[in-house]
Amino acid sequence: MRRGVRQLLELEPSLNIVAEASNGNEAVTYACQLLPDLILLDLNMKGLSGLDTLKALRNEGIAARIIVLTVSDSRSDIYALIDAGADGYLLKDSEPELLLKKILQAANGENVFSDIILEYLETRDDQSDPFESLTERELDVLQEVARGMSNKQIASHLHISEETVKVHIRNMLRKLNVRSRVAATVMYLERKSQ
């Protein structure tokens, strides 16, 4: 896919590809060294996720336009990435000509979105409860986190592996748009007290 995107971009003389990264850490390193104007970022990568990479880029003060190019049209992914500072969100199944046009618009300072993403953003209810996006198992894990249990204790209590607990916690933090177990616990306890 990356090779195909590169070939597509090379068709446009006004674009100059300065680097290609195979993971989030590489992307942050290259961005800090080369200071590109535009970064295309996938959501699913080895190591750092697209969301964590985006946050790391913004934390490093990278001012480049960052466009997410992915297969995921999940509302929670879209909202999390837009909230974290993405300047656009394009789906990989877009027609190549349309994709190139949108990337050029992004390079010229526009925020760009695939049509379905635009619909989601226009109908987004900022009052929506982020807890509604959690699965039943993620809520179970959050409840145990709020009780102060360690991953190992949660795994034992819920009869799942410690690795599975970590996956649930990572997904839960992303959906709640918080960075730590403590922040998730505070949100959970505030919600319960309402």
Side-chain angles (χ1 to χ4, degrees):
M1 181 68 197
R2 208 168 77 213
R3 193 176 306 127
V5 170
R6 183 184 184 108
Q7 288 171 343
L8 179 66
L9 297 177
E10 286 172 341
L11 296 173
E12 179 51 53
S14 66
L15 296 176
N16 179 24
I17 300 166
V18 294
E20 235 181 284
S22 60
N23 61 56
N25 290 324
E26 256 183 38
V28 173
T29 302
Y30 285 147
C32 291
Q33 289 170 353
L34 302 168
L35 302 174
D37 299 316
L38 178 70
I39 296 171
L40 295 179
L41 182 64
D42 199 343
L43 186 58
N44 302 307
M45 299 182 290
K46 286 179 281 193
L48 281 184
S49 71
L51 179 60
D52 291 336
T53 302
L54 175 61
K55 287 178 178 175
L57 288 165
R58 292 305 187 211
N59 288 341
E60 288 290 337
I62 298 298
R65 316 257 321 134
I66 300 177
I67 306 302
V68 176
L69 179 60
T70 187
V71 294
S72 173
D73 61 359
S74 149
R75 286 178 188 258
S76 61
D77 286 339
I78 296 161
Y79 299 155
L81 284 144
I82 298 301
D83 292 345
D87 298 296
Y89 197 109
L90 300 173
L91 296 175
K92 286 182 179 176
D93 64 0
S94 305
E95 289 297 319
E97 299 78 24
L98 180 64
L99 205 54
L100 186 56
K101 179 182 170 200
K102 296 269 189 190
I103 291 167
L104 284 169
Q105 288 173 324
N108 289 319
E110 291 181 44
N111 292 349
V112 294
F113 304 97
S114 292
D115 290 343
I116 186 73
I117 307 303
L118 214 45
E119 280 178 40
Y120 288 165
L121 293 172
E122 286 170 355
T123 59
R124 181 178 186 182
D125 177 10
D126 281 326
Q127 304 308 311
S128 66
D129 183 354
F131 288 92
E132 287 175 10
S133 67
L134 299 181
T135 64
E136 201 171 314
R137 187 50 106 186
E138 287 164 353
L139 279 168
D140 293 343
V141 170
L142 177 56
Q143 191 174 348
E144 302 309 325
V145 166
R147 290 176 53 202
M149 289 184 147
S150 69
N151 288 358
K152 193 172 193 168
Q153 291 169 318
I154 295 169
S156 172
H157 184 77
L158 296 177
H159 310 292
I160 55 179
S161 75
E162 207 171 331
E163 201 51 47
T164 302
V165 171
K166 288 178 187 173
V167 169
H168 286 313
I169 290 175
R170 193 169 53 237
N171 290 338
M172 173 186 78
L173 294 179
R174 178 176 51 82
K175 288 177 181 178
L176 295 178
N177 201 20
V178 294
R179 292 172 182 238
S180 69
R181 297 164 69 111
V182 174
T185 299
V186 168
M187 275 182 81
Y188 176 74
L189 295 175
E190 282 175 353
R191 183 173 186 261
K192 277 191 75 170
S193 68
Q194 289 174 354

